[in-house]
Amino acid sequence: MNPQYTPKILDLLKKYDVHATFFILASTANKYPELLQRMKLEGHTVGLHSLEHKNQILQLPLNLFWDFRKSMELFSMQGEKPIYFRPPWGHVTPLGLWLCKRYSLNIVLWTVIIGDWSKNSTVNHLCQKLRTQVRRSAVICLHDGRGADNAPLRTIAALESMIPYWKEEGYTFETISELFEKGAH
């Protein structure tokens, strides 16, 4: 979540009547509560993406305990209790699995990730990857606040092109909550 880029993505999603899932660093949930509330008010699902984007396999057990505890505490201060968790880099340790169970968090991974955070990605490159990799029932991982050289602006531009394309192709857009309700997990 980023005050410069996230509102632009939210505006774009609103323009096309698309709901998404945002996995948020707990450290930013407390910094930008207005963005968190806007996401919820506009029908998006909000999940946890860890406290500060640290890879679980590189954390000591006590640090991982603290990461989860502090994350849930910061979300709670905003009146939120996330039930979905996307681990940074998709890495989960046995302790991380146990902590997800302890905090009743469903782990969510992706089926498509296109490296939109890279300084070498162009809008055309991102669109090409999305056109070739996205299939029905895809879970796409994109970033609204991380990346080199204003990478989120390229993500936004790619989405501006791809959302109408996908809609024309008959794709529908669902949040992780909607997928879980359908039993697609």
Side-chain angles (χ1 to χ4, degrees):
M1 184 162 50
N2 178 292
Q4 179 182 357
Y5 307 118
T6 304
K8 292 176 180 165
I9 289 183
L10 289 169
D11 291 344
L12 181 65
L13 295 173
K14 190 174 190 175
K15 174 181 173 181
Y16 290 107
D17 193 28
V18 169
H19 295 126
T21 302
F22 288 84
F23 288 96
I24 298 171
L25 296 177
S27 59
T28 63
N30 219 31
K31 271 184 175 172
Y32 309 111
E34 68 286 350
L35 287 176
L36 180 66
Q37 291 311 310
R38 180 178 172 192
M39 288 172 183
K40 298 287 286 183
L41 286 172
E42 293 181 5
H44 304 289
T45 296
V46 172
L48 173 62
H49 189 41
S50 81
L51 181 63
E52 296 175 328
H53 207 267
K54 291 184 180 173
N55 191 325
Q56 284 190 17
I57 61 175
L58 301 176
Q59 290 191 60
L60 296 172
L62 284 177
N63 292 38
L64 193 55
F65 272 104
W66 184 82
D67 186 295
F68 274 82
R69 185 183 59 74
K70 188 66 174 173
S71 292
M72 297 307 278
E73 179 183 302
L74 290 173
F75 267 93
S76 180
M77 290 170 63
Q78 297 304 319
E80 299 295 329
K81 185 188 179 307
I83 60 172
Y84 304 105
F85 174 69
R86 183 173 77 76
W89 296 283
H91 297 158
V92 184
T93 63
L95 177 57
L97 290 171
W98 183 84
L99 287 164
C100 284
K101 186 173 182 173
R102 178 179 181 199
Y103 287 105
S104 302
L105 293 165
N106 298 288
I107 296 173
V108 177
L109 298 175
W110 56 87
T111 59
V112 175
I113 189 164
I114 60 168
D116 62 325
W117 61 86
S118 172
K119 68 179 181 180
N120 299 321
S121 290
T122 65
V123 173
N124 287 338
H125 186 239
L126 296 175
C127 288
Q128 178 187 20
K129 282 184 166 185
L130 289 168
R131 275 193 194 95
T132 59
Q133 293 181 29
V134 171
R135 300 285 178 260
R136 307 261 186 238
S137 302
V139 176
I140 306 166
C141 178
L142 298 171
H143 297 80
D144 68 337
R146 297 182 61 83
D149 299 331
N150 292 310
L153 290 177
R154 294 187 293 281
T155 300
I156 294 164
L159 284 174
E160 180 70 52
S161 172
M162 292 305 300
I163 291 173
Y165 168 80
W166 285 323
K167 285 191 166 212
E168 189 175 294
E169 292 291 312
Y171 284 80
T172 58
F173 299 84
E174 298 174 301
T175 65
I176 290 298
S177 300
E178 292 167 325
L179 291 175
F180 267 76
E181 286 171 16
K182 288 182 177 181
H185 60 290

